Amino acid sequence: MMRDLFLLTVLQLCLLISVSSSEFASLSGDTSVGISTATASTSRKELPHQVLIGYAFSNYTNVRAAVMEDGVNVVIWAFMDIRSSDKGVDMVDPDVSLVARRDLENMNDEQVEGNTQHHHQQSTAQIKTNLDLNAISSLIQELNTSGYSNTVHLVSFGGWNGPHLDSNLSANEWYSTWRESIASSIFHGIDWDLEGNDDLGSEENVFTLDCLEKMGAISKLMKEDGYIVTMAPPQSYLNPSNPQFSRYVNITDPTRPWHSEFHYFGSNVYSYILAKYGDNIDLVSIQLYESYSDGAMAVHHDGTSADDYLVEFVYNTTIRQKSKFYVDFSMDPTLNVEGQYVDFPLSKLVIGLANGWAATSSDKTLYVSSEQCKSAYERLGVNSPRGFMFWTIEERGTNGVYLARGIHEFLPV
């Protein structure tokens, strides 16, 4: 998810494309994209009232324990991508091929295996992933039959060093590929986690307007079709305390009293999506564990306790600002949009935490224990966030930390 944690091979770089937004008097206007949606299938679920979210890759033992023992009720599987390809080219991929949409409950393991090897000759795009979709679908069925059928399973797009959206695909083409694939029947929705790249000169250290617009348009299609849509920006990518805006995520901040040399900050790039497509975003998990984040600075430099910081963060993010924050979008002339207030209700706020891998002496990443989360949660009372997210389930038990289990002891999930 964040730099230095997980490297994902870049499949293809988003091209820097300028798309005019002059038709929008504000970012919240109607943006119909004109694709018909199918009847909802068994892959539709509603989010729990309170969420405990964990990211996962392939450690199914840990996922099973996180759900059945630790109270995790939303699993986000990382990562997936959708790439364009030439028409008529065989679409079978060693990781996952395009397959017809199907109902998992009416298909046995042999049928699932057969369908994932199906050749799809007509589509112009294909899904790329290192996830074992057969194993994930089997685990989901196991959890369902074991009494955990309310667990939500999403799939994430992006990641640090991961690809941005393919500039050769429209939102409609992207979504059609999703709906034709096995993924649309396994997962209950998607999660946006597009970030930057270690290479400072990489084109993926800037979000093109084309990419931002497609993230929003795809989110709209997803919601219209009954799916869940979440996003997980690093703290600098969505910071209600910062009114500035930039599409670049390789920024330094020379005014900072702590690690002003760091080259990988953003400046509210995800606020564009929230401003224009916010009705189509269910949850926003802000990564407080971003390298040298404002949260890390408050704790490691300013001497604020982690629980005090969580309380202040929630108040400053939503409550004091009455669920709105101002962003000066006019700083980016490409947008052709004036500064405006962005809606961000408390019901969408999720606190993004590092698991036990960050429970070290390093000051690069903010680590918040479950006990500190409990203290902040109880002090916030009715002003508590929607829940907590952590990276990752794979790190369950690292350094003796069982973060989700500790949070589950006080979070009513």
Side-chain angles (χ1 to χ4, degrees):
M1 182 181 285
M2 284 304 300
R3 60 194 67 83
D4 303 328
L5 303 183
F6 180 74
L7 299 179
L8 181 70
T9 300
V10 176
L11 303 172
Q12 181 175 335
L13 298 176
C14 275
L15 301 177
L16 184 59
I17 299 175
S18 294
V19 181
S20 173
S21 294
S22 58
E23 66 269 29
F24 298 113
S26 73
L27 289 177
S28 57
D30 178 64
T31 55
S32 177
V33 287
I35 183 172
S36 61
T37 54
T39 303
S41 74
T42 55
S43 60
R44 309 309 196 275
K45 271 190 172 65
E46 292 186 1
L47 282 165
H49 178 65
Q50 296 275 272
V51 294
L52 182 49
I53 303 171
Y55 281 79
F57 307 125
S58 59
N59 190 326
Y60 310 115
T61 299
N62 274 14
V63 173
R64 187 180 292 107
V67 172
M68 300 177 74
E69 300 174 23
D70 299 346
V72 170
N73 57 10
V74 180
V75 179
I76 302 182
W77 297 88
F79 290 100
M80 182 175 282
D81 188 31
I82 295 179
R83 294 282 104 183
S84 60
S85 58
D86 294 333
K87 279 188 177 180
V89 175
D90 188 277
M91 291 302 200
V92 171
D93 179 85
D95 297 318
V96 59
S97 63
L98 287 176
V99 297
R101 192 166 61 250
R102 90 283 183 269
D103 182 349
L104 279 173
E105 292 185 355
N106 296 325
M107 189 173 283
N108 59 36
D109 290 342
E110 289 75 18
Q111 290 172 310
V112 172
E113 177 67 27
N115 269 278
T116 57
Q117 298 304 316
H118 177 65
H119 289 212
H120 192 289
Q121 300 285 346
Q122 303 302 319
S123 178
T124 60
Q126 66 184 130
I127 284 181
K128 301 286 289 184
T129 186
N130 289 321
L131 295 170
D132 185 336
L133 300 188
N134 290 319
I136 292 171
S137 65
S138 295
L139 177 60
I140 293 173
Q141 291 181 56
E142 176 191 338
L143 292 171
N144 287 346
T145 58
S146 299
Y148 299 90
S149 60
N150 290 329
T151 306
V152 170
H153 295 265
L154 310 178
V155 64
S156 188
F157 289 80
W160 184 255
N161 283 341
H164 288 194
L165 297 186
D166 191 333
S167 60
N168 295 314
L169 291 175
S170 69
N172 284 357
E173 290 169 331
W174 192 104
Y175 190 67
S176 293
T177 301
W178 162 268
R179 288 295 276 123
E180 292 171 1
S181 76
I182 191 174
S184 69
S185 292
I186 294 175
F187 302 108
H188 307 120
I190 64 169
D191 170 70
W192 295 121
D193 185 26
L194 277 66
E195 300 182 19
N197 193 283
D198 283 328
D199 178 1
L200 282 172
S202 170
E203 291 185 358
E204 283 171 345
N205 281 321
V206 57
F207 282 67
T208 66
L209 183 53
D210 174 72
C211 183
L212 290 172
E213 280 292 329
K214 280 193 286 202
M215 289 170 70
I218 291 166
S219 299
K220 188 172 188 291
L221 291 170
M222 283 276 179
K223 291 305 298 176
E224 288 174 346
D225 209 4
Y227 287 104
I228 294 164
V229 181
T230 65
M231 61 186 192
Q235 188 173 10
S236 67
Y237 292 26
L238 187 67
N239 186 354
S241 298
N242 173 24
Q244 300 182 43
F245 178 84
S246 175
R247 290 180 292 111
Y248 287 82
V249 292
N250 55 357
I251 301 172
T252 57
D253 183 359
T255 66
R256 266 182 141 232
W258 188 68
H259 288 289
S260 59
E261 81 290 347
F262 189 64
H263 280 280
Y264 297 102
F265 291 120
S267 188
N268 274 322
V269 64
Y270 270 71
S271 68
Y272 181 90
I273 302 169
L274 202 58
K276 188 170 181 179
Y277 298 96
D279 289 344
N280 303 291
I281 304 298
D282 293 296
L283 297 175
V284 180
S285 301
I286 297 182
Q287 298 179 34
L288 298 185
Y289 54 90
E290 175 186 21
S291 296
Y292 305 116
S293 68
D294 280 4
M297 181 168 65
V299 173
H300 296 304
H301 177 265
D302 301 339
T304 305
S305 68
D307 49 336
D308 283 347
Y309 178 74
L310 289 188
V311 172
E312 283 301 304
F313 172 76
V314 173
Y315 269 96
N316 290 336
T317 300
T318 59
I319 299 167
R320 287 197 180 103
Q321 306 201 62
K322 298 182 179 179
S323 298
K324 295 178 184 289
F325 65 99
Y326 183 81
V327 179
D328 187 4
F329 293 107
S330 68
M331 295 180 68
D332 187 340
T334 305
L335 304 183
N336 198 20
V337 173
E338 294 301 316
Q340 59 189 263
Y341 283 91
V342 179
D343 290 330
F344 190 10
L346 186 63
S347 61
K348 293 186 179 183
L349 175 62
V350 177
I351 304 298
L353 304 170
N355 209 344
W357 57 268
T360 67
S361 59
S362 172
D363 65 357
K364 184 176 183 178
T365 306
L366 175 64
Y367 172 72
V368 185
S369 69
S370 58
E371 292 80 10
Q372 291 166 323
C373 290
K374 179 181 179 181
S375 171
Y377 187 85
E378 291 177 344
R379 288 159 60 189
L380 285 163
V382 295
N383 294 315
S384 295
R386 182 74 177 267
F388 296 87
M389 171 273 280
F390 64 97
W391 180 267
T392 65
I393 290 174
E394 252 74 4
E395 299 284 349
R396 180 179 187 268
T398 298
N399 292 321
V401 173
Y402 292 84
L403 185 65
R405 181 186 299 173
I407 292 174
H408 184 221
E409 291 179 358
F410 66 86
L411 188 71
V413 296

Short mmCIF file of all heavy atoms in Angstrom, two decimals, residues 198-230:
data_model
loop_
_atom_site.label_atom_id
_atom_site.label_comp_id
_atom_site.label_asym_id
_atom_site.label_seq_id
_atom_site.Cartn_x
_atom_site.Cartn_y
_atom_site.Cartn_z
N ASP A 198 8.29 4.97 -6.37
CA ASP A 198 9.63 5.24 -5.84
C ASP A 198 10.45 6.12 -6.78
O ASP A 198 11.26 6.95 -6.33
CB ASP A 198 10.38 3.92 -5.62
CG ASP A 198 9.93 3.21 -4.36
OD1 ASP A 198 9.55 3.88 -3.39
OD2 ASP A 198 9.97 1.97 -4.34
N ASP A 199 10.27 5.93 -8.09
CA ASP A 199 11.00 6.72 -9.08
C ASP A 199 10.39 8.12 -9.14
O ASP A 199 9.27 8.30 -9.59
CB ASP A 199 10.89 6.03 -10.45
CG ASP A 199 11.59 6.81 -11.56
OD1 ASP A 199 12.18 7.87 -11.28
OD2 ASP A 199 11.52 6.35 -12.72
N LEU A 200 11.14 9.11 -8.65
CA LEU A 200 10.60 10.47 -8.60
C LEU A 200 10.16 10.99 -9.95
O LEU A 200 9.26 11.82 -10.05
CB LEU A 200 11.64 11.43 -7.99
CG LEU A 200 11.80 11.39 -6.48
CD1 LEU A 200 12.99 12.24 -6.05
CD2 LEU A 200 10.52 11.88 -5.80
N GLY A 201 10.78 10.50 -11.03
CA GLY A 201 10.41 10.94 -12.37
C GLY A 201 9.28 10.16 -13.00
O GLY A 201 8.88 10.44 -14.14
N SER A 202 8.73 9.19 -12.27
CA SER A 202 7.66 8.36 -12.82
C SER A 202 6.41 9.19 -13.12
O SER A 202 6.03 10.07 -12.35
CB SER A 202 7.29 7.24 -11.84
OG SER A 202 6.11 6.58 -12.25
N GLU A 203 5.75 8.87 -14.23
CA GLU A 203 4.49 9.54 -14.57
C GLU A 203 3.40 9.22 -13.56
O GLU A 203 2.38 9.91 -13.52
CB GLU A 203 4.05 9.13 -15.98
CG GLU A 203 4.94 9.69 -17.07
CD GLU A 203 4.43 9.40 -18.46
OE1 GLU A 203 3.40 8.72 -18.58
OE2 GLU A 203 5.08 9.82 -19.44
N GLU A 204 3.60 8.19 -12.76
CA GLU A 204 2.59 7.84 -11.77
C GLU A 204 2.78 8.60 -10.46
O GLU A 204 2.11 8.31 -9.47
CB GLU A 204 2.55 6.33 -11.58
CG GLU A 204 1.79 5.75 -12.76
CD GLU A 204 1.83 4.26 -12.87
OE1 GLU A 204 2.67 3.63 -12.20
OE2 GLU A 204 1.03 3.74 -13.66
N ASN A 205 3.65 9.59 -10.48
CA ASN A 205 3.71 10.53 -9.37
C ASN A 205 2.87 11.77 -9.65
O ASN A 205 2.97 12.77 -8.94
CB ASN A 205 5.16 10.92 -9.06
CG ASN A 205 5.86 9.85 -8.26
OD1 ASN A 205 5.27 9.24 -7.37
ND2 ASN A 205 7.12 9.60 -8.57
N VAL A 206 2.05 11.68 -10.69
CA VAL A 206 1.03 12.70 -10.94
C VAL A 206 -0.24 11.98 -11.38
O VAL A 206 -0.20 11.06 -12.19
CB VAL A 206 1.48 13.72 -12.01
CG1 VAL A 206 1.84 13.05 -13.32
CG2 VAL A 206 0.42 14.78 -12.23
N PHE A 207 -1.36 12.38 -10.80
CA PHE A 207 -2.65 11.84 -11.20
C PHE A 207 -3.16 12.68 -12.38
O PHE A 207 -3.41 13.89 -12.22
CB PHE A 207 -3.66 11.92 -10.05
CG PHE A 207 -3.51 10.87 -9.00
CD1 PHE A 207 -2.40 10.84 -8.18
CD2 PHE A 207 -4.49 9.89 -8.84
CE1 PHE A 207 -2.26 9.87 -7.19
CE2 PHE A 207 -4.36 8.92 -7.86
CZ PHE A 207 -3.25 8.90 -7.04
N THR A 208 -3.29 12.08 -13.55
CA THR A 208 -3.87 12.83 -14.66
C THR A 208 -5.34 13.11 -14.36
O THR A 208 -6.00 12.37 -13.61
CB THR A 208 -3.76 12.05 -15.98
OG1 THR A 208 -4.58 10.88 -15.90
CG2 THR A 208 -2.32 11.67 -16.28
N LEU A 209 -5.85 14.16 -14.96
CA LEU A 209 -7.27 14.46 -14.81
C LEU A 209 -8.11 13.33 -15.38
O LEU A 209 -9.17 12.97 -14.84
CB LEU A 209 -7.61 15.78 -15.48
CG LEU A 209 -9.05 16.27 -15.35
CD1 LEU A 209 -9.50 16.31 -13.89
CD2 LEU A 209 -9.22 17.63 -16.00
N ASP A 210 -7.62 12.73 -16.47
CA ASP A 210 -8.30 11.58 -17.07
C ASP A 210 -8.44 10.45 -16.05
O ASP A 210 -9.49 9.82 -15.92
CB ASP A 210 -7.50 11.11 -18.28
CG ASP A 210 -8.05 9.83 -18.89
OD1 ASP A 210 -9.12 9.89 -19.52
OD2 ASP A 210 -7.39 8.77 -18.74
N CYS A 211 -7.37 10.18 -15.30
CA CYS A 211 -7.39 9.11 -14.30
C CYS A 211 -8.38 9.43 -13.18
O CYS A 211 -9.18 8.58 -12.78
CB CYS A 211 -5.99 8.91 -13.75
SG CYS A 211 -5.82 7.55 -12.57
N LEU A 212 -8.34 10.66 -12.66
CA LEU A 212 -9.26 11.06 -11.59
C LEU A 212 -10.71 10.97 -12.04
O LEU A 212 -11.58 10.49 -11.30
CB LEU A 212 -8.94 12.47 -11.12
CG LEU A 212 -7.62 12.66 -10.35
CD1 LEU A 212 -7.35 14.15 -10.13
CD2 LEU A 212 -7.66 11.92 -9.02
N GLU A 213 -10.99 11.44 -13.24
CA GLU A 213 -12.36 11.40 -13.76
C GLU A 213 -12.85 9.96 -13.90
O GLU A 213 -13.99 9.65 -13.58
CB GLU A 213 -12.43 12.12 -15.11
CG GLU A 213 -12.51 13.63 -15.00
CD GLU A 213 -13.82 14.09 -14.38
OE1 GLU A 213 -14.85 13.41 -14.56
OE2 GLU A 213 -13.82 15.12 -13.70
N LYS A 214 -11.97 9.09 -14.39
CA LYS A 214 -12.39 7.69 -14.55
C LYS A 214 -12.59 7.00 -13.21
O LYS A 214 -13.51 6.18 -13.07
CB LYS A 214 -11.40 6.94 -15.42
CG LYS A 214 -11.63 7.21 -16.91
CD LYS A 214 -10.88 6.28 -17.81
CE LYS A 214 -9.42 6.59 -17.86
NZ LYS A 214 -8.75 6.07 -19.07
N MET A 215 -11.76 7.32 -12.22
CA MET A 215 -11.99 6.77 -10.88
C MET A 215 -13.39 7.16 -10.40
O MET A 215 -14.12 6.33 -9.83
CB MET A 215 -10.93 7.28 -9.91
CG MET A 215 -9.54 6.71 -10.12
SD MET A 215 -8.28 7.55 -9.13
CE MET A 215 -8.70 6.99 -7.47
N GLY A 216 -13.77 8.41 -10.62
CA GLY A 216 -15.09 8.85 -10.20
C GLY A 216 -16.21 8.23 -11.00
O GLY A 216 -17.22 7.78 -10.45
N ALA A 217 -16.04 8.19 -12.32
CA ALA A 217 -17.09 7.63 -13.19
C ALA A 217 -17.29 6.14 -12.92
O ALA A 217 -18.43 5.64 -12.91
CB ALA A 217 -16.73 7.87 -14.65
N ILE A 218 -16.19 5.41 -12.71
CA ILE A 218 -16.29 3.99 -12.39
C ILE A 218 -16.99 3.80 -11.04
O ILE A 218 -17.82 2.89 -10.88
CB ILE A 218 -14.90 3.33 -12.39
CG1 ILE A 218 -14.34 3.28 -13.82
CG2 ILE A 218 -14.95 1.92 -11.80
CD1 ILE A 218 -12.86 2.98 -13.89
N SER A 219 -16.67 4.65 -10.08
CA SER A 219 -17.33 4.58 -8.77
C SER A 219 -18.84 4.76 -8.94
O SER A 219 -19.63 4.06 -8.29
CB SER A 219 -16.77 5.67 -7.84
OG SER A 219 -15.40 5.50 -7.63
N LYS A 220 -19.24 5.67 -9.79
CA LYS A 220 -20.66 5.92 -10.04
C LYS A 220 -21.33 4.68 -10.65
O LYS A 220 -22.42 4.27 -10.24
CB LYS A 220 -20.83 7.12 -10.96
CG LYS A 220 -22.27 7.61 -11.15
CD LYS A 220 -22.27 8.92 -11.91
CE LYS A 220 -23.66 9.54 -11.95
NZ LYS A 220 -24.60 8.78 -12.78
N LEU A 221 -20.67 4.07 -11.63
CA LEU A 221 -21.20 2.85 -12.23
C LEU A 221 -21.31 1.73 -11.21
O LEU A 221 -22.29 0.98 -11.19
CB LEU A 221 -20.29 2.41 -13.39
CG LEU A 221 -20.30 3.30 -14.63
CD1 LEU A 221 -19.21 2.88 -15.59
CD2 LEU A 221 -21.66 3.23 -15.33
N MET A 222 -20.31 1.60 -10.37
CA MET A 222 -20.32 0.58 -9.33
C MET A 222 -21.52 0.76 -8.40
O MET A 222 -22.25 -0.19 -8.10
CB MET A 222 -19.02 0.64 -8.52
CG MET A 222 -17.82 0.03 -9.19
SD MET A 222 -17.80 -1.76 -8.92
CE MET A 222 -16.33 -2.20 -9.85
N LYS A 223 -21.71 1.98 -7.91
CA LYS A 223 -22.79 2.24 -6.97
C LYS A 223 -24.15 2.03 -7.62
O LYS A 223 -25.08 1.50 -6.99
CB LYS A 223 -22.68 3.66 -6.42
CG LYS A 223 -21.49 3.88 -5.48
CD LYS A 223 -21.49 2.90 -4.32
CE LYS A 223 -22.72 3.04 -3.44
NZ LYS A 223 -22.75 2.00 -2.37
N GLU A 224 -24.30 2.43 -8.86
CA GLU A 224 -25.57 2.23 -9.56
C GLU A 224 -25.88 0.75 -9.72
O GLU A 224 -27.05 0.36 -9.82
CB GLU A 224 -25.52 2.90 -10.93
CG GLU A 224 -25.56 4.42 -10.87
CD GLU A 224 -25.37 5.07 -12.22
OE1 GLU A 224 -24.94 4.36 -13.17
OE2 GLU A 224 -25.64 6.28 -12.34
N ASP A 225 -24.85 -0.08 -9.73
CA ASP A 225 -25.02 -1.52 -9.90
C ASP A 225 -25.02 -2.26 -8.57
O ASP A 225 -24.99 -3.48 -8.54
CB ASP A 225 -23.90 -2.05 -10.79
CG ASP A 225 -24.30 -3.28 -11.58
OD1 ASP A 225 -25.49 -3.68 -11.49
OD2 ASP A 225 -23.45 -3.86 -12.27
N GLY A 226 -25.03 -1.52 -7.45
CA GLY A 226 -25.17 -2.15 -6.15
C GLY A 226 -23.89 -2.55 -5.46
O GLY A 226 -23.93 -3.22 -4.41
N TYR A 227 -22.74 -2.17 -6.00
CA TYR A 227 -21.47 -2.52 -5.38
C TYR A 227 -21.04 -1.47 -4.34
O TYR A 227 -21.55 -0.35 -4.33
CB TYR A 227 -20.37 -2.64 -6.43
CG TYR A 227 -20.47 -3.86 -7.31
CD1 TYR A 227 -20.93 -3.76 -8.62
CD2 TYR A 227 -20.09 -5.11 -6.84
CE1 TYR A 227 -21.02 -4.89 -9.44
CE2 TYR A 227 -20.17 -6.24 -7.64
CZ TYR A 227 -20.64 -6.12 -8.95
OH TYR A 227 -20.73 -7.23 -9.74
N ILE A 228 -20.11 -1.86 -3.50
CA ILE A 228 -19.52 -0.98 -2.50
C ILE A 228 -18.25 -0.34 -3.10
O ILE A 228 -17.51 -1.01 -3.83
CB ILE A 228 -19.16 -1.76 -1.23
CG1 ILE A 228 -20.43 -2.27 -0.55
CG2 ILE A 228 -18.33 -0.93 -0.26
CD1 ILE A 228 -20.17 -3.36 0.48
N VAL A 229 -18.01 0.94 -2.79
CA VAL A 229 -16.80 1.63 -3.25
C VAL A 229 -16.16 2.34 -2.05
O VAL A 229 -16.81 3.13 -1.37
CB VAL A 229 -17.10 2.65 -4.36
CG1 VAL A 229 -15.80 3.33 -4.81
CG2 VAL A 229 -17.81 2.00 -5.54
N THR A 230 -14.90 2.04 -1.82
CA THR A 230 -14.15 2.71 -0.75
C THR A 230 -12.87 3.27 -1.33
O THR A 230 -12.47 2.94 -2.46
CB THR A 230 -13.81 1.74 0.39
OG1 THR A 230 -12.91 0.72 -0.09
CG2 THR A 230 -15.06 1.07 0.94
#
